[in-house]
Amino acid sequence: MQEYDFVVIGGGSAGYAAASTASRLGLKTAVIEGGREVGGLCILRGCMPSKALLATSSRAAAVRNSEAFAVNAEYRGVNARAMQSRKRALVEDFASYRRDQLASGRFSFFRGKARFLDSHTLEVTQTETAQVIHLRARTSLIATGSRIEMAHFEGLAETGCLDSDAMLSSESIPSSIVVLGGGAIALEAATFYSGLGSKVTLLQRSNQVLTDMDQDVSDAVQSGLAKQGVQIQTNVHLQRFETEGQLKHVHFEQLGHSQSVAAQEILYALGRRPMLEGLGIEEAGVDLLDGRCSVKTTQQTSQPHIFAAGDVCGPHEVVHIAIQQGDRK
């Protein structure tokens, strides 16, 4: 059994920040990454690809609205394949740098699925060989990130929809789209598609977008989206989904009235959940609160020698917060 001072589960932004700090402080450190790709959510399926696509959308919107600035220009759509190629190149640039950082030799780096056998012992099933190894950790960090949480709605599976991962890789630009959700991912998607000229309707279950923000911030964002042509409906209770002809229909209740909206595509952006399945959280003795690792201000869990950082503990799914949490000494 290999023994370490500090073992990090997850090679994303929080995990890398923690491992880098620990190794710099002289701790014998290991990082375990079980994803198909190395880089973490922000680089692979979050901030970086979304901002690359938003850059294209912004320029498309500028061309579409150029007449307001006395510029004669004609918008003829975007080359979706080229847009995705540019995005992949940018993502790969960052991802390759992260891979190099993780493989730099400053700490041990294992590709595989980790599972706690007890609060100090980790079993790792290696990705390429399926060989099982065991690590003994004096301290450890859970930084496995989050995944899309698909809720069950009548007819949604049969109707079909994009999720945020699929959107970031899609080479299809729908003429109209219904965005389900009012968080950051949903708002980025609405901005992206409206910039490209799609008719966008956003359905939010609560009474404001960005529910964890102050009302004045939410109002400003909502006003800006409305100026871009996004139709925003709040206080929505989703009921069922169906396909009629070439369009997908979303039926919902709003303030006691039955409503519906139809579009060529639907984007599901109703939230994510911590990726803790198969990790042996119970065997580790780590307490959860609302599905997340419950942590103190020191990032310690209910087991003082086990820490958590990033999306697995919150309070917000923001990469800068995850890095600060991972970097705490």
Side-chain angles (χ1 to χ4, degrees), residues 23 100-109:
S23 64
D100 290 344
Q101 290 175 314
L102 289 168
S104 65
R106 289 176 292 163
F107 38 76
S108 300
F109 180 49

Side-chain angles (χ1 to χ4, degrees), residues 157-208:
E158 295 78 7
T159 302
C161 65
L162 294 173
D163 59 28
S164 58
D165 289 353
M167 181 205 82
L168 292 173
S169 300
S170 178
E171 293 183 0
S172 174
I173 308 299
S175 59
S176 57
I177 188 167
V178 177
V179 177
L180 307 178
I185 293 173
L187 298 180
E188 283 194 334
T191 302
F192 169 68
Y193 284 113
S194 64
L196 298 181
S198 302
K199 179 182 179 182
V200 180
T201 303
L202 186 144
L203 303 181
Q204 165 67 327
R205 292 174 291 182
S206 66
N207 63 357
Q208 68 173 71

